[in-house]
Amino acid sequence: MIRPGGTVRELLNQIPGQNATVHGWVKTRRDSKGIHFLHISDGSCFSDLQVVVEEGIVPEEQMRSITTGSSVRVDGELVESPAAGQKVEMKAHSIHLYGTADPVSYPLQKKGHTMEFLREIAHLRPRSNTFGSVFRVRNALAHAIHTFFQNEGFLYVHTPILTASDCEGAGAMFGVTTLDLMNLPREKQSGKIDYSSDFFAKPAFLTVSGQLEAEIFAMAFTNVYTFGPTFRAENSNTPRHLAEFWMIEPEIAFADLKDDMELAERFLKFVINEVMNRCEDDIAFFDKRIDNTVLSTLNNVVSSDFEHVTYTEAVNILEKSDKDWEFPVKWGSDLQSEHERYLTEDVFKKPVIVTDYPKEIKAFYMRANDDGKTVRAMDVLAPRIGEIIGGSQREERLDVLKTRLAEQGLEESAYWWYLDLRRFGTVPHAGFGLGFERLMLYLTGMKNIRDVIPFPRTPGSADF
Ligand code: ATP
Ligand code: MN
């Protein structure tokens, strides 16, 4: 314990009849017949601690300043609560006021603020009910992810955030430079920017994925995972895309696509289960107030065996449906969100793993199938969200990998170390990438990805 008294979470589980101290922020205040009722929150759990201040206990002068948003310490006695839904409340003996919050200008007064408004006050929104729940779930989810992999003996590897190679081409990259933008050095002949005097002596970027480096570590530690920030300078203003987001990327050696799919299913079930247990009140809140399908879909994922279907089978199903698609379905083009949701929500009514995509729409490192047309890729589709995980078995054969690089117009020299892994002790291996915030959307039922990360970065917006 870092300060005396205990958290609201701890106090709510105490037996009545003892003195205690609570520190927190006043969420609401109600006055009735000279008695004041304060709801105190310290973020430790969904519930507030009700503090009852009886007449004459605290000078009225001081009581006037204890309004919504102010910060207090209350010393008092825990007593049995007559209110429904809570065991104990606190009968105040004295209150120390740390900081006031002017009721006229404190922006978090009323209930029912829009998400857009709350985004503009990202420095205060963590104190609201919704964002309290969001960030407790986010914390529990991050912990569950580490717990899962650590329990299974995976090594956590920190892949670089600054990178000088656009190895994957997974998305548009943010450039990083210390060159003087007003006075860029130019190569004499070509007039191109001369990066030799830049910090890394070549163009550098923020990473879009840690996968290729994770593969290096899988070729030494067998089972590894990354969990870190990734950046994409895609100018897509959607409720599903951020410029800065967190990605989980396991990589497993001596493993094929089947092992990869089993891992993905086991992983999703474990972390969802963990969060449902640890954040029961928060998830119940989301189900009640944000999206009434949250609990049923989460239970559905935890309890059902994921469906498996090849891309080709999926395209057949989609072509036979009488849906009016915004994007036409054709073998060879990527599945769009509407197709993915139809498969998982209408056809199979549970999570679906689609495998063996056409090689033209997937990355060069995915293992080629013998049909010469498809690769050992897998996407996990979940109801309400569509794609939540993208993964593949990796091409471990040197000659095939070189052919694939050439087919996609990529320079072998840029991938020298990646090719070396196939020269020296290559093994079948596989992995996947999961967007942390996409999983957050799933767990919370929140509609916009900007509302499940503390400080969203999107085109035109990097406040706080
Ligand atoms: P999408 O088609 O949704 O843009 P993608 O095909 O670009 O996804 P990958 O390159 O496979 O995605 O990235 C792995 C995972 O990272 C995705 O499955 C998704 O969960 C997540 N992800 C990708 N781009 C973003 C983004 N801009 N913001 C948040 N999460 C993202
Ligand atoms: Mn994308």
Side-chain angles (χ1 to χ4, degrees), residues 103-161:
V104 177
S105 52
Y106 184 58
L108 211 62
Q109 289 286 345
K110 297 182 292 290
K111 293 200 163 138
H113 291 306
T114 64
M115 294 297 166
E116 288 75 17
F117 172 74
L118 289 167
R119 230 171 272 150
E120 288 167 16
I121 53 162
H123 59 310
L124 298 170
R125 71 175 183 170
R127 298 189 202 174
S128 68
N129 282 337
T130 302
F131 288 93
S133 289
V134 165
F135 295 124
R136 273 187 301 275
V137 165
R138 191 176 164 107
N139 170 65
L141 179 60
H143 188 226
I145 287 164
H146 283 295
T147 303
F148 174 83
F149 288 120
Q150 295 296 325
N151 283 352
E152 299 227 352
F154 282 59
L155 181 113
Y156 177 33
V157 50
H158 297 107
T159 50
I161 288 165

Short mmCIF file of all heavy atoms in Angstrom, two decimals, residues 103-161:
data_model
loop_
_atom_site.label_atom_id
_atom_site.label_comp_id
_atom_site.label_asym_id
_atom_site.label_seq_id
_atom_site.Cartn_x
_atom_site.Cartn_y
_atom_site.Cartn_z
N PRO A 103 -17.24 24.78 -9.91
CA PRO A 103 -18.39 24.13 -10.56
C PRO A 103 -18.80 24.80 -11.86
O PRO A 103 -19.40 24.16 -12.72
CB PRO A 103 -19.51 24.25 -9.52
CG PRO A 103 -18.91 24.81 -8.29
CD PRO A 103 -17.55 25.33 -8.61
N VAL A 104 -18.47 26.07 -12.02
CA VAL A 104 -18.87 26.77 -13.25
C VAL A 104 -17.98 26.34 -14.41
O VAL A 104 -18.45 26.14 -15.54
CB VAL A 104 -18.79 28.31 -13.06
CG1 VAL A 104 -19.14 29.04 -14.35
CG2 VAL A 104 -19.73 28.73 -11.92
N SER A 105 -16.68 26.15 -14.15
CA SER A 105 -15.80 25.85 -15.28
C SER A 105 -15.35 24.39 -15.37
O SER A 105 -14.79 23.98 -16.38
CB SER A 105 -14.55 26.75 -15.23
OG SER A 105 -13.94 26.66 -13.95
N TYR A 106 -15.62 23.58 -14.35
CA TYR A 106 -15.22 22.16 -14.43
C TYR A 106 -16.05 21.47 -15.51
O TYR A 106 -17.26 21.39 -15.40
CB TYR A 106 -15.42 21.46 -13.08
CG TYR A 106 -14.95 20.02 -13.05
CD1 TYR A 106 -13.63 19.70 -13.36
CD2 TYR A 106 -15.83 18.98 -12.73
CE1 TYR A 106 -13.20 18.38 -13.33
CE2 TYR A 106 -15.40 17.66 -12.69
CZ TYR A 106 -14.09 17.36 -12.99
OH TYR A 106 -13.66 16.06 -12.98
N PRO A 107 -15.40 20.97 -16.56
CA PRO A 107 -16.16 20.52 -17.74
C PRO A 107 -16.87 19.18 -17.56
O PRO A 107 -17.71 18.83 -18.36
CB PRO A 107 -15.11 20.40 -18.85
CG PRO A 107 -13.79 20.73 -18.24
CD PRO A 107 -13.94 20.84 -16.76
N LEU A 108 -16.53 18.43 -16.53
CA LEU A 108 -17.07 17.07 -16.42
C LEU A 108 -18.25 17.02 -15.45
O LEU A 108 -18.36 16.10 -14.64
CB LEU A 108 -15.95 16.14 -15.94
CG LEU A 108 -15.98 14.69 -16.42
CD1 LEU A 108 -15.86 14.60 -17.92
CD2 LEU A 108 -14.89 13.89 -15.75
N GLN A 109 -19.10 18.02 -15.54
CA GLN A 109 -20.19 18.11 -14.58
C GLN A 109 -21.32 17.14 -14.87
O GLN A 109 -21.62 16.28 -14.07
CB GLN A 109 -20.76 19.53 -14.57
CG GLN A 109 -19.84 20.55 -13.94
CD GLN A 109 -19.80 20.42 -12.44
OE1 GLN A 109 -20.63 19.77 -11.84
NE2 GLN A 109 -18.81 21.04 -11.80
N LYS A 110 -21.90 17.31 -16.02
CA LYS A 110 -23.14 16.61 -16.32
C LYS A 110 -22.85 15.22 -16.83
O LYS A 110 -21.80 14.93 -17.36
CB LYS A 110 -23.93 17.38 -17.39
CG LYS A 110 -24.36 18.76 -16.94
CD LYS A 110 -25.19 19.44 -18.00
CE LYS A 110 -24.39 19.80 -19.24
NZ LYS A 110 -23.43 20.88 -19.06
N LYS A 111 -23.82 14.36 -16.68
CA LYS A 111 -23.73 13.06 -17.33
C LYS A 111 -24.14 13.24 -18.79
O LYS A 111 -24.70 14.24 -19.17
CB LYS A 111 -24.67 12.09 -16.63
CG LYS A 111 -24.19 11.82 -15.23
CD LYS A 111 -24.76 10.56 -14.66
CE LYS A 111 -23.89 10.21 -13.48
NZ LYS A 111 -24.49 9.77 -12.31
N GLY A 112 -23.85 12.24 -19.59
CA GLY A 112 -24.32 12.25 -20.97
C GLY A 112 -23.54 13.14 -21.91
O GLY A 112 -24.07 13.61 -22.91
N HIS A 113 -22.27 13.40 -21.60
CA HIS A 113 -21.42 14.08 -22.57
C HIS A 113 -21.21 13.16 -23.77
O HIS A 113 -21.14 11.94 -23.61
CB HIS A 113 -20.05 14.38 -21.96
CG HIS A 113 -20.08 15.43 -20.90
ND1 HIS A 113 -20.63 16.68 -21.11
CD2 HIS A 113 -19.60 15.45 -19.64
CE1 HIS A 113 -20.50 17.39 -20.00
NE2 HIS A 113 -19.89 16.67 -19.09
N THR A 114 -21.02 13.74 -24.95
CA THR A 114 -20.74 12.90 -26.12
C THR A 114 -19.28 12.45 -26.07
O THR A 114 -18.43 13.08 -25.44
CB THR A 114 -20.94 13.68 -27.44
OG1 THR A 114 -19.97 14.73 -27.49
CG2 THR A 114 -22.34 14.24 -27.55
N MET A 115 -19.01 11.32 -26.76
CA MET A 115 -17.63 10.82 -26.83
C MET A 115 -16.72 11.87 -27.48
O MET A 115 -15.57 12.00 -27.11
CB MET A 115 -17.59 9.51 -27.64
CG MET A 115 -18.32 8.36 -26.98
SD MET A 115 -17.58 7.89 -25.41
CE MET A 115 -18.88 6.88 -24.73
N GLU A 116 -17.26 12.57 -28.46
CA GLU A 116 -16.47 13.58 -29.16
C GLU A 116 -16.04 14.68 -28.18
O GLU A 116 -14.87 15.10 -28.17
CB GLU A 116 -17.26 14.21 -30.32
CG GLU A 116 -17.46 13.30 -31.53
CD GLU A 116 -18.50 12.21 -31.29
OE1 GLU A 116 -19.31 12.33 -30.33
OE2 GLU A 116 -18.51 11.22 -32.06
N PHE A 117 -16.97 15.13 -27.36
CA PHE A 117 -16.62 16.16 -26.38
C PHE A 117 -15.59 15.63 -25.39
O PHE A 117 -14.61 16.30 -25.07
CB PHE A 117 -17.88 16.64 -25.64
CG PHE A 117 -17.56 17.55 -24.49
CD1 PHE A 117 -17.16 18.86 -24.71
CD2 PHE A 117 -17.62 17.09 -23.17
CE1 PHE A 117 -16.84 19.70 -23.66
CE2 PHE A 117 -17.29 17.92 -22.11
CZ PHE A 117 -16.89 19.23 -22.35
N LEU A 118 -15.80 14.42 -24.92
CA LEU A 118 -14.87 13.85 -23.93
C LEU A 118 -13.46 13.70 -24.52
O LEU A 118 -12.47 13.85 -23.81
CB LEU A 118 -15.39 12.50 -23.43
CG LEU A 118 -16.63 12.61 -22.53
CD1 LEU A 118 -17.28 11.25 -22.34
CD2 LEU A 118 -16.27 13.23 -21.18
N ARG A 119 -13.38 13.45 -25.83
CA ARG A 119 -12.08 13.34 -26.49
C ARG A 119 -11.34 14.67 -26.42
O ARG A 119 -10.12 14.70 -26.34
CB ARG A 119 -12.32 12.97 -27.96
CG ARG A 119 -11.49 11.80 -28.46
CD ARG A 119 -11.97 11.40 -29.84
NE ARG A 119 -13.05 10.44 -29.79
CZ ARG A 119 -14.02 10.33 -30.72
NH1 ARG A 119 -14.04 11.13 -31.77
NH2 ARG A 119 -14.96 9.43 -30.58
N GLU A 120 -12.10 15.76 -26.46
CA GLU A 120 -11.47 17.09 -26.39
C GLU A 120 -10.95 17.40 -24.99
O GLU A 120 -10.14 18.30 -24.82
CB GLU A 120 -12.47 18.18 -26.82
CG GLU A 120 -12.75 18.17 -28.31
CD GLU A 120 -13.96 19.03 -28.66
OE1 GLU A 120 -14.39 19.86 -27.82
OE2 GLU A 120 -14.49 18.85 -29.77
N ILE A 121 -11.44 16.69 -24.00
CA ILE A 121 -10.93 16.87 -22.64
C ILE A 121 -10.28 15.56 -22.17
O ILE A 121 -10.61 15.03 -21.11
CB ILE A 121 -12.02 17.37 -21.66
CG1 ILE A 121 -13.26 16.45 -21.71
CG2 ILE A 121 -12.42 18.80 -21.94
CD1 ILE A 121 -14.16 16.62 -20.48
N ALA A 122 -9.35 15.08 -23.00
CA ALA A 122 -8.70 13.79 -22.70
C ALA A 122 -7.91 13.85 -21.40
O ALA A 122 -7.53 12.81 -20.88
CB ALA A 122 -7.80 13.37 -23.86
N HIS A 123 -7.66 15.07 -20.87
CA HIS A 123 -6.96 15.16 -19.58
C HIS A 123 -7.92 14.93 -18.42
O HIS A 123 -7.50 14.68 -17.29
CB HIS A 123 -6.26 16.51 -19.45
CG HIS A 123 -7.19 17.70 -19.55
ND1 HIS A 123 -8.10 17.86 -20.57
CD2 HIS A 123 -7.33 18.77 -18.74
CE1 HIS A 123 -8.75 19.00 -20.39
NE2 HIS A 123 -8.31 19.56 -19.27
N LEU A 124 -9.22 15.00 -18.66
CA LEU A 124 -10.19 14.81 -17.58
C LEU A 124 -11.07 13.58 -17.77
O LEU A 124 -11.65 13.07 -16.81
CB LEU A 124 -11.08 16.07 -17.45
CG LEU A 124 -10.31 17.35 -17.09
CD1 LEU A 124 -11.21 18.57 -17.22
CD2 LEU A 124 -9.74 17.25 -15.68
N ARG A 125 -11.14 13.08 -19.03
CA ARG A 125 -12.08 11.98 -19.29
C ARG A 125 -11.77 10.70 -18.51
O ARG A 125 -12.68 9.91 -18.27
CB ARG A 125 -12.23 11.71 -20.79
CG ARG A 125 -11.03 11.07 -21.47
CD ARG A 125 -11.31 10.72 -22.94
NE ARG A 125 -10.14 10.05 -23.50
CZ ARG A 125 -10.10 9.45 -24.67
NH1 ARG A 125 -11.16 9.43 -25.46
NH2 ARG A 125 -8.99 8.86 -25.10
N PRO A 126 -10.49 10.47 -18.09
CA PRO A 126 -10.27 9.26 -17.29
C PRO A 126 -11.08 9.23 -16.00
O PRO A 126 -11.26 8.17 -15.41
CB PRO A 126 -8.77 9.30 -16.97
CG PRO A 126 -8.17 10.14 -18.04
CD PRO A 126 -9.23 11.17 -18.37
N ARG A 127 -11.59 10.37 -15.57
CA ARG A 127 -12.37 10.41 -14.32
C ARG A 127 -13.84 10.07 -14.54
O ARG A 127 -14.60 9.97 -13.58
CB ARG A 127 -12.30 11.81 -13.71
CG ARG A 127 -10.90 12.24 -13.33
CD ARG A 127 -10.99 13.52 -12.55
NE ARG A 127 -9.75 14.26 -12.57
CZ ARG A 127 -9.61 15.47 -12.06
NH1 ARG A 127 -10.64 16.08 -11.51
NH2 ARG A 127 -8.45 16.08 -12.12
N SER A 128 -14.25 9.93 -15.80
CA SER A 128 -15.66 9.61 -16.06
C SER A 128 -15.87 8.10 -15.91
O SER A 128 -14.92 7.32 -15.95
CB SER A 128 -16.05 10.05 -17.47
OG SER A 128 -15.36 9.25 -18.42
N ASN A 129 -17.12 7.71 -15.73
CA ASN A 129 -17.43 6.28 -15.57
C ASN A 129 -16.94 5.46 -16.76
O ASN A 129 -16.27 4.44 -16.60
CB ASN A 129 -18.95 6.07 -15.44
CG ASN A 129 -19.44 6.42 -14.05
OD1 ASN A 129 -18.66 6.40 -13.10
ND2 ASN A 129 -20.71 6.74 -13.94
N THR A 130 -17.31 5.93 -17.95
CA THR A 130 -16.98 5.15 -19.15
C THR A 130 -15.47 4.96 -19.29
O THR A 130 -14.99 3.85 -19.50
CB THR A 130 -17.53 5.86 -20.41
OG1 THR A 130 -18.94 6.01 -20.26
CG2 THR A 130 -17.23 5.06 -21.66
N PHE A 131 -14.72 6.06 -19.16
CA PHE A 131 -13.28 5.94 -19.40
C PHE A 131 -12.55 5.30 -18.22
O PHE A 131 -11.49 4.70 -18.41
CB PHE A 131 -12.70 7.28 -19.84
CG PHE A 131 -13.12 7.60 -21.25
CD1 PHE A 131 -14.26 8.36 -21.48
CD2 PHE A 131 -12.45 7.06 -22.32
CE1 PHE A 131 -14.70 8.60 -22.78
CE2 PHE A 131 -12.89 7.28 -23.62
CZ PHE A 131 -14.01 8.06 -23.84
N GLY A 132 -13.13 5.40 -17.05
CA GLY A 132 -12.59 4.62 -15.94
C GLY A 132 -12.62 3.14 -16.30
O GLY A 132 -11.63 2.42 -16.18
N SER A 133 -13.77 2.69 -16.80
CA SER A 133 -13.90 1.28 -17.18
C SER A 133 -12.99 0.93 -18.34
O SER A 133 -12.34 -0.12 -18.36
CB SER A 133 -15.36 0.98 -17.54
OG SER A 133 -16.16 0.99 -16.38
N VAL A 134 -12.93 1.82 -19.35
CA VAL A 134 -12.09 1.54 -20.52
C VAL A 134 -10.64 1.31 -20.09
O VAL A 134 -10.00 0.33 -20.51
CB VAL A 134 -12.15 2.70 -21.54
CG1 VAL A 134 -11.00 2.60 -22.55
CG2 VAL A 134 -13.48 2.71 -22.27
N PHE A 135 -10.12 2.17 -19.25
CA PHE A 135 -8.69 2.07 -18.95
C PHE A 135 -8.38 1.01 -17.90
O PHE A 135 -7.26 0.49 -17.88
CB PHE A 135 -8.11 3.45 -18.63
CG PHE A 135 -8.20 4.35 -19.85
CD1 PHE A 135 -8.85 5.57 -19.79
CD2 PHE A 135 -7.68 3.92 -21.06
CE1 PHE A 135 -8.97 6.36 -20.94
CE2 PHE A 135 -7.80 4.70 -22.21
CZ PHE A 135 -8.45 5.93 -22.14
N ARG A 136 -9.34 0.64 -17.09
CA ARG A 136 -9.12 -0.53 -16.23
C ARG A 136 -9.11 -1.80 -17.07
O ARG A 136 -8.27 -2.69 -16.86
CB ARG A 136 -10.20 -0.62 -15.14
CG ARG A 136 -9.86 0.18 -13.88
CD ARG A 136 -10.86 -0.08 -12.76
NE ARG A 136 -12.22 0.26 -13.17
CZ ARG A 136 -12.75 1.49 -13.10
NH1 ARG A 136 -12.04 2.48 -12.59
NH2 ARG A 136 -13.97 1.72 -13.51
N VAL A 137 -10.00 -1.87 -18.06
CA VAL A 137 -10.00 -3.03 -18.94
C VAL A 137 -8.70 -3.09 -19.75
O VAL A 137 -8.09 -4.14 -19.92
CB VAL A 137 -11.24 -3.01 -19.87
CG1 VAL A 137 -11.08 -3.99 -21.03
CG2 VAL A 137 -12.50 -3.33 -19.08
N ARG A 138 -8.25 -1.93 -20.22
CA ARG A 138 -7.02 -1.89 -21.00
C ARG A 138 -5.83 -2.41 -20.17
O ARG A 138 -5.02 -3.19 -20.64
CB ARG A 138 -6.75 -0.45 -21.46
CG ARG A 138 -5.64 -0.36 -22.50
CD ARG A 138 -5.44 1.06 -23.04
NE ARG A 138 -4.17 1.11 -23.71
CZ ARG A 138 -3.99 1.18 -25.02
NH1 ARG A 138 -5.02 1.25 -25.83
NH2 ARG A 138 -2.78 1.17 -25.54
N ASN A 139 -5.77 -1.99 -18.94
CA ASN A 139 -4.72 -2.46 -18.04
C ASN A 139 -4.81 -3.97 -17.82
O ASN A 139 -3.80 -4.68 -17.93
CB ASN A 139 -4.86 -1.72 -16.70
CG ASN A 139 -3.98 -2.30 -15.62
OD1 ASN A 139 -2.75 -2.24 -15.72
ND2 ASN A 139 -4.58 -2.88 -14.61
N ALA A 140 -6.02 -4.45 -17.57
CA ALA A 140 -6.19 -5.89 -17.31
C ALA A 140 -5.88 -6.71 -18.56
O ALA A 140 -5.31 -7.80 -18.47
CB ALA A 140 -7.63 -6.17 -16.84
N LEU A 141 -6.22 -6.16 -19.72
CA LEU A 141 -5.96 -6.87 -20.97
C LEU A 141 -4.46 -6.98 -21.22
O LEU A 141 -3.94 -8.03 -21.60
CB LEU A 141 -6.66 -6.18 -22.14
CG LEU A 141 -6.46 -6.81 -23.52
CD1 LEU A 141 -6.97 -8.26 -23.54
CD2 LEU A 141 -7.16 -6.00 -24.61
N ALA A 142 -3.74 -5.88 -21.01
CA ALA A 142 -2.28 -5.90 -21.22
C ALA A 142 -1.65 -6.94 -20.30
O ALA A 142 -0.78 -7.72 -20.71
CB ALA A 142 -1.69 -4.51 -20.96
N HIS A 143 -2.11 -6.96 -19.06
CA HIS A 143 -1.57 -7.92 -18.10
C HIS A 143 -1.89 -9.35 -18.52
O HIS A 143 -1.02 -10.24 -18.47
CB HIS A 143 -2.13 -7.62 -16.71
CG HIS A 143 -1.49 -8.42 -15.63
ND1 HIS A 143 -2.21 -9.05 -14.65
CD2 HIS A 143 -0.20 -8.71 -15.38
CE1 HIS A 143 -1.38 -9.70 -13.84
NE2 HIS A 143 -0.16 -9.50 -14.26
N ALA A 144 -3.12 -9.57 -18.97
CA ALA A 144 -3.54 -10.91 -19.39
C ALA A 144 -2.70 -11.41 -20.57
O ALA A 144 -2.37 -12.59 -20.66
CB ALA A 144 -5.02 -10.92 -19.76
N ILE A 145 -2.37 -10.49 -21.46
CA ILE A 145 -1.57 -10.87 -22.64
C ILE A 145 -0.19 -11.36 -22.21
O ILE A 145 0.28 -12.41 -22.63
CB ILE A 145 -1.47 -9.67 -23.61
CG1 ILE A 145 -2.83 -9.47 -24.30
CG2 ILE A 145 -0.35 -9.88 -24.64
CD1 ILE A 145 -3.00 -8.13 -24.98
N HIS A 146 0.44 -10.59 -21.33
CA HIS A 146 1.75 -11.03 -20.83
C HIS A 146 1.62 -12.35 -20.06
O HIS A 146 2.45 -13.25 -20.20
CB HIS A 146 2.38 -9.95 -19.94
CG HIS A 146 2.98 -8.82 -20.73
ND1 HIS A 146 4.05 -9.00 -21.58
CD2 HIS A 146 2.65 -7.52 -20.82
CE1 HIS A 146 4.37 -7.83 -22.14
NE2 HIS A 146 3.52 -6.91 -21.70
N THR A 147 0.57 -12.45 -19.25
CA THR A 147 0.37 -13.68 -18.46
C THR A 147 0.26 -14.89 -19.37
O THR A 147 0.88 -15.93 -19.15
CB THR A 147 -0.90 -13.56 -17.59
OG1 THR A 147 -0.77 -12.40 -16.77
CG2 THR A 147 -1.08 -14.78 -16.71
N PHE A 148 -0.55 -14.74 -20.42
CA PHE A 148 -0.73 -15.87 -21.35
C PHE A 148 0.61 -16.34 -21.90
O PHE A 148 0.95 -17.52 -21.82
CB PHE A 148 -1.67 -15.47 -22.50
CG PHE A 148 -1.78 -16.53 -23.56
CD1 PHE A 148 -2.66 -17.60 -23.39
CD2 PHE A 148 -0.99 -16.49 -24.70
CE1 PHE A 148 -2.75 -18.60 -24.36
CE2 PHE A 148 -1.08 -17.48 -25.67
CZ PHE A 148 -1.96 -18.54 -25.50
N PHE A 149 1.36 -15.40 -22.47
CA PHE A 149 2.61 -15.81 -23.13
C PHE A 149 3.66 -16.29 -22.11
O PHE A 149 4.39 -17.24 -22.38
CB PHE A 149 3.16 -14.68 -23.99
CG PHE A 149 2.36 -14.45 -25.24
CD1 PHE A 149 1.74 -13.23 -25.48
CD2 PHE A 149 2.21 -15.46 -26.18
CE1 PHE A 149 0.99 -13.03 -26.64
CE2 PHE A 149 1.46 -15.27 -27.34
CZ PHE A 149 0.84 -14.04 -27.56
N GLN A 150 3.72 -15.62 -20.98
CA GLN A 150 4.69 -16.05 -19.98
C GLN A 150 4.34 -17.44 -19.46
O GLN A 150 5.23 -18.28 -19.29
CB GLN A 150 4.76 -15.03 -18.83
CG GLN A 150 5.29 -13.66 -19.24
CD GLN A 150 6.74 -13.68 -19.72
OE1 GLN A 150 7.55 -14.44 -19.22
NE2 GLN A 150 7.07 -12.84 -20.70
N ASN A 151 3.05 -17.71 -19.25
CA ASN A 151 2.63 -19.05 -18.81
C ASN A 151 3.03 -20.12 -19.81
O ASN A 151 3.30 -21.26 -19.45
CB ASN A 151 1.10 -19.11 -18.64
CG ASN A 151 0.65 -18.45 -17.36
OD1 ASN A 151 1.47 -18.07 -16.54
ND2 ASN A 151 -0.66 -18.29 -17.21
N GLU A 152 3.01 -19.74 -21.09
CA GLU A 152 3.33 -20.72 -22.13
C GLU A 152 4.81 -20.75 -22.47
O GLU A 152 5.21 -21.40 -23.44
CB GLU A 152 2.50 -20.42 -23.39
CG GLU A 152 1.00 -20.50 -23.13
CD GLU A 152 0.24 -21.30 -24.19
OE1 GLU A 152 0.85 -21.67 -25.22
OE2 GLU A 152 -0.96 -21.55 -23.99
N GLY A 153 5.61 -20.00 -21.71
CA GLY A 153 7.06 -20.06 -21.91
C GLY A 153 7.60 -19.23 -23.07
O GLY A 153 8.72 -19.47 -23.52
N PHE A 154 6.82 -18.26 -23.54
CA PHE A 154 7.30 -17.39 -24.62
C PHE A 154 8.27 -16.35 -24.07
O PHE A 154 8.14 -15.89 -22.94
CB PHE A 154 6.13 -16.64 -25.27
CG PHE A 154 5.32 -17.46 -26.24
CD1 PHE A 154 4.69 -18.63 -25.84
CD2 PHE A 154 5.17 -17.05 -27.56
CE1 PHE A 154 3.94 -19.39 -26.73
CE2 PHE A 154 4.42 -17.79 -28.46
CZ PHE A 154 3.80 -18.96 -28.05
N LEU A 155 9.24 -15.96 -24.91
CA LEU A 155 10.18 -14.91 -24.54
C LEU A 155 9.66 -13.56 -25.06
O LEU A 155 9.31 -13.45 -26.24
CB LEU A 155 11.56 -15.20 -25.15
CG LEU A 155 12.64 -14.18 -24.81
CD1 LEU A 155 13.70 -14.82 -23.94
CD2 LEU A 155 13.28 -13.59 -26.07
N TYR A 156 9.61 -12.58 -24.20
CA TYR A 156 9.17 -11.24 -24.59
C TYR A 156 10.35 -10.49 -25.20
O TYR A 156 11.35 -10.29 -24.52
CB TYR A 156 8.63 -10.52 -23.35
CG TYR A 156 8.18 -9.08 -23.53
CD1 TYR A 156 7.61 -8.65 -24.73
CD2 TYR A 156 8.29 -8.17 -22.49
CE1 TYR A 156 7.17 -7.34 -24.87
CE2 TYR A 156 7.86 -6.86 -22.63
CZ TYR A 156 7.31 -6.45 -23.82
OH TYR A 156 6.88 -5.15 -23.96
N VAL A 157 10.24 -10.11 -26.46
CA VAL A 157 11.35 -9.42 -27.13
C VAL A 157 10.93 -8.00 -27.49
O VAL A 157 9.82 -7.77 -28.00
CB VAL A 157 11.83 -10.19 -28.38
CG1 VAL A 157 10.69 -10.56 -29.31
CG2 VAL A 157 12.88 -9.38 -29.15
N HIS A 158 11.81 -7.04 -27.21
CA HIS A 158 11.55 -5.64 -27.56
C HIS A 158 12.14 -5.37 -28.94
O HIS A 158 13.35 -5.29 -29.08
CB HIS A 158 12.18 -4.71 -26.53
CG HIS A 158 11.60 -4.86 -25.17
ND1 HIS A 158 12.27 -5.46 -24.13
CD2 HIS A 158 10.39 -4.52 -24.68
CE1 HIS A 158 11.50 -5.47 -23.05
NE2 HIS A 158 10.35 -4.92 -23.35
N THR A 159 11.28 -5.25 -29.91
CA THR A 159 11.75 -4.96 -31.27
C THR A 159 11.86 -3.44 -31.42
O THR A 159 11.21 -2.70 -30.69
CB THR A 159 10.78 -5.56 -32.30
OG1 THR A 159 9.45 -5.18 -31.96
CG2 THR A 159 10.87 -7.08 -32.28
N PRO A 160 12.70 -2.98 -32.37
CA PRO A 160 12.97 -1.54 -32.41
C PRO A 160 11.78 -0.71 -32.88
O PRO A 160 10.94 -1.16 -33.65
CB PRO A 160 14.11 -1.44 -33.42
CG PRO A 160 14.00 -2.66 -34.24
CD PRO A 160 13.45 -3.73 -33.37
N ILE A 161 11.74 0.51 -32.38
CA ILE A 161 10.70 1.45 -32.77
C ILE A 161 11.20 2.33 -33.91
O ILE A 161 10.48 2.65 -34.84
CB ILE A 161 10.28 2.27 -31.54
CG1 ILE A 161 9.48 1.36 -30.58
CG2 ILE A 161 9.44 3.49 -31.94
CD1 ILE A 161 9.31 1.89 -29.20
#
